[in-house]
Amino acid sequence: MTKRELKQFLGVNALRFFIAVTAIFLILFLYVIISKGGKMISWSFLTESPKKYMTEGGIFPAIVGTFWLTIISIGISLPLGVFTAIYMVSYGKPAWFVRSVRIAINTLAGVPSIIYGLFGLTVFVQLMKLDVSILAGSLTLAILALPVMINASEEALRSVPQDFREASLALGATERQTILRVLLPTALPNILTGTIISIGRVAGETAPILFTAATFYTRRLPTSVMDEVMVLPYHIYALMTEGAHADKQVPIAYGTAVVLLALVLLVSTIAIIIRYNIRKKRKW
Amino acid sequence: MFKGITYTASLFTIIVLFGIIATLFSEGLPILKHVNIKDFLTSPNWHPTHFPADFGILSLIVGSLVVTAGALIIAIPLGLGSAIYISEIAGTRSKEIIKPIIELLAGIPSVVYGLFGMAFLSPFLIKVFGIPTGLNAFSASIVLGVMVVPIISSMSEDALSTVPRNLREASFALGATRWETIVQIVLPAARSGVVGSIMLGFGRAIGETMVVIMIAGGAAQIPKSIFQPVRPMTAAIASEMGETVIGSPHFHALFGIAIVLFFITFITNLITEFVFLKKRK
């Protein structure tokens, strides 16, 4: 083997090694979480409230909390994201404004999630006097999800062929009619995929809701958007860092992690399936 | 009317960005009444609850940088390695296996990584290395590194796949091996995208909260070895905010840390945006 062939051999196998390390970590990770958390999962674990200061019982309030936070925050950021994307794609003037919006989106996308938490604490919790509540947390998460939502919607709108738009305008439709009846319906499946991906992200976020929505322990379910809630990701964190019965809390944390992982992975699988179907059906 | 709605929505993103900046400054700058800016940034003594209190955040900044550097040392070979393999070597079949693995990693919530680090990795490291605590800069770097792999991998792969095919073919035609082509032709051609992906990974790692709050150990000190616990900036903000009185010097100090953190990520973004990504276009 020449020196060059040796280099090639070593190099390519180094790459294989790096991939193997990544894959082994993932397998080990999933194995640990699922083997330790899987045995916690039962009907009562999913449907009961926690008991005896989190050392027994289920996680139902946390599931409900995550559900509401996710639904409300996506409900706020989806229209905002789609409208922004429409402006950027269809109107796109004046150029300096579009450029400023673009810079704002890119900057927001890079802002650490804990800073969104501080913003939510100052503006929603204190200034708007929403206190620590579902609403304050949802608003914070909505802003966090906004850059992803805008980028996904914009990409979806831009993937609609220019001909569609021109055909609609040529038939005498106004700009608004073209957007609402041609552009949006055509881009909808892709926007949906982006939305589902955002749902997965929002459901797993912890840092932004630490001081805006989450509470460690409540036995009752939220009755309005002004209540503080238990949330799945925060529940895992709290079980690992608070309370005095680690031996009983750690297994519950693993169980909660399995539920959260299942939720997030289910959501992203749905997104992948939808995307696959769109690509197969698309005729242009 | 309709145009007005979409315009307002677009305007909202700019308002939010300014709102975040205004919030950080209005709540963070008052700390300079209690400590001068030089001591705030360069003193390693962080004792916000002592009397008199010390508000030096150097050990927190160093904590963030150590953990982030460690994460990148792990994530660059793993992420870039898989990107090169997917783009240059793998056949369609192995691509179909490797890409979902990496996408799966990207979808896992950070708090679950934190749980894994605390409950599994930390006891494991204590056993293997015989160290007093498994919650330290080293274990946080490992977990954070794995979290950053998908970011570096997917963006580098994009960059590699935009390198024109004829560059590779020309290289093969000159008798270069596949490896020589990768190292001497493809990587240099995709350089800006690859560096951009690493900077994005840096921004992600330094801003990550849950993993470091759970695994890095929490001691506000400048570590003498990677096996010592550290307290990164994000961990300090997240764990102390709940215990402070609103409007107290400690509260303002935490927002002061957030200003520093915001600037680090903002500048990282700016450099990526203007220097590296622009070039590619």
Side-chain angles (χ1 to χ4, degrees), chain A residues 160-174 178 182-183:
Chain A
V160 178
Q162 193 66 18
D163 315 3
F164 282 34
R165 189 190 151 115
E166 281 161 8
S168 165
L169 292 173
L171 287 171
T174 64
T178 306
V182 178
L183 226 54

Side-chain angles (χ1 to χ4, degrees), chain B residues 32 39 44 48 53 56 58 60 69 71 83 85 93 103 107 113 121 127 137 143 153 155 161 189 191 219 261-262 270:
Chain B
L32 297 179
D39 285 349
L58 184 66
L60 310 181
Y85 193 84
R93 282 255 327 254
E103 272 180 35
Y113 280 112
L121 187 64
K127 229 187 277 170
V143 178
S153 168
M155 213 178 130
S161 61
R191 191 181 51 215
L261 183 63
F262 179 82
L270 225 62

